[in-house]
Amino acid sequence: MYDLAEDEFVPGNLLFADGQALKTTDGTTTSLIAGSSGLRGYSDGVGSNARFSSILSFIQLLRSQIVLADYVNHCFRNVDRTTNQTSTYSGSCTQSGGRDGVDALFTNPTSIRLDVKNNAQLLIADNSLGSLKKIILASKHVSTIDTDGSYRLVALSQDPSTGNIYVTFHHGVGFYDYESLSFTVIAGSQAGFVDGAISLTRFYNPKKVAFLCPRKLLIPDLSNHRLRVLDLTTNTSTSICSGVIGHLNGDLSSCQLFGPRSLLTVNDVIFVGEDRYIRSIQGKYHHTPAGFTEY
């Protein structure tokens, strides 16, 4: 599950990206919105007639519109929930590039979020260009905020209290100060697994950052099969789950994960999107939870 969100069109459901498809679930029944799991390609159309190549991120606009990052097709797509029609939102699908403007080109876009400091624009990450960009909603004009080809941006999130933009790259985590737009690496430099002091911490394919509370980040570490907690007050990192590949529920030190990719916090529940499952931590990890359960 590459991305998770509360479903604004069907309240009470979870909306998720399952590789090449968008789906919604109430925890018992899952319904297809667009695309077809396991069938890569590019085509617009209604429902299962649409084709995507790796939906890595999405946002919901005006409750009934989903805008998603179609990684391999190098563009952003729009899905209308009232008709399940898929169309192009921005970029020229199947054509890569690094052009700004209303006729923008992207190369492997990985992440899209509504700017919490300016809801008239979207923030996006372009992986292969190492670029942080913005799209003006009214005009769909694209402009570059910052580019550094040494950091292939994987996912972006925003601290809802400060607007600072947290990003993950291949083996690390960094952030852009919203005002100065200066980039700082917080943790990670090469592949591996190390907890403890942030300066020594190592990741192996970290994904989208979630915020447990101010200055405490939760990050799915895909290839280490763990959730990582970065405490920016104590400058330390710790882990949730054992790192053993599996689906064992229960205690948060012995539980097992299989390729965690996405996170969603809803009240006192953390939902974890894995390779084929959605799991949950009841009561959040710092509230003496019962542990992992299936959703």
Side-chain angles (χ1 to χ4, degrees):
M1 312 304 174
Y2 290 88
D3 205 358
L4 291 170
E6 294 181 82
D7 193 333
E8 297 176 7
F9 193 73
V10 185
N13 273 24
L14 292 184
L15 181 66
F16 64 96
D18 183 14
Q20 290 75 47
L22 278 173
K23 299 179 181 180
T24 185
T25 183
D26 61 6
T28 302
T29 302
T30 298
S31 300
L32 176 70
I33 298 169
S36 182
S37 297
L39 293 179
R40 296 177 182 271
Y42 168 72
S43 64
D44 290 336
V46 176
S48 61
N49 291 321
R51 290 290 178 269
F52 306 96
S53 288
S54 297
I55 304 169
L56 297 191
S57 178
F58 62 80
I59 59 165
Q60 300 170 87
L61 296 177
L62 302 176
R63 183 174 173 269
S64 63
Q65 303 296 316
I66 301 172
V67 180
L68 59 89
D70 194 346
Y71 178 78
V72 179
N73 283 323
H74 309 297
C75 62
F76 293 90
R77 316 279 293 278
N78 181 83
V79 178
D80 186 332
R81 293 295 296 276
T82 63
T83 62
N84 285 357
Q85 173 70 47
T86 296
S87 57
T88 299
Y89 182 81
S90 183
S92 181
C93 295
T94 72
Q95 181 181 355
S96 63
R99 186 169 65 208
D100 286 350
V102 293
D103 59 345
L105 294 176
F106 308 98
T107 302
N108 302 127
T110 54
S111 195
I112 182 168
R113 294 287 174 255
L114 183 65
D115 188 347
V116 301
K117 297 280 281 187
N118 180 358
N119 60 15
Q121 65 185 25
L122 306 175
L123 298 173
I124 62 174
D126 199 318
N127 176 267
S128 293
L129 300 177
S131 297
L132 177 67
K133 296 173 178 279
K134 63 182 179 181
I135 302 177
I136 304 301
L137 285 169
S139 63
K140 295 185 182 178
H141 185 276
V142 176
S143 57
T144 298
I145 298 172
D146 188 80
T147 296
D148 187 337
S150 60
Y151 297 104
R152 299 290 184 91
L153 304 185
V154 173
L156 67 86
S157 303
Q158 264 186 300
D159 186 328
S161 60
T162 65
N164 284 338
I165 302 165
Y166 289 80
V167 298
T168 53
F169 48 94
H170 193 41
H171 300 308
V173 180
F175 84 99
Y176 291 90
D177 180 275
Y178 193 91
E179 300 301 329
S180 66
L181 290 177
S182 57
F183 180 70
T184 303
V185 174
I186 299 172
S189 58
Q190 54 185 305
F193 172 72
V194 177
D195 267 338
I198 280 185
S199 60
L200 301 177
T201 296
R202 291 188 182 181
F203 300 90
Y204 199 171
N205 294 334
K207 301 299 181 182
K208 176 188 170 185
V209 172
F211 301 93
L212 295 171
C213 57
R215 298 188 62 77
K216 188 170 286 188
L217 314 179
L218 183 65
I219 304 164
D221 194 349
L222 186 144
S223 297
N224 280 320
H225 307 285
R226 291 175 166 95
L227 303 181
R228 312 292 295 280
V229 180
L230 289 188
D231 190 323
L232 302 183
T233 299
T234 63
N235 287 321
T236 57
S237 64
T238 55
S239 292
I240 294 175
C241 290
S242 63
V244 176
I245 299 173
H247 297 98
L248 180 67
N249 293 322
D251 182 83
L252 298 187
S253 61
S254 61
C255 55
Q256 298 172 0
L257 294 172
F258 186 5
R261 297 176 180 271
S262 55
L263 295 170
L264 172 66
T265 59
V266 181
N267 299 321
D268 280 343
V269 179
I270 298 171
F271 293 99
V272 183
E274 293 184 308
D275 187 47
R276 298 181 182 178
Y277 299 93
I278 299 174
R279 312 274 293 285
S280 65
I281 303 175
Q282 305 294 326
K284 288 192 179 178
Y285 88 100
H286 56 289
H287 288 169
T288 314
F292 265 100
T293 60
E294 298 293 339
Y295 178 67

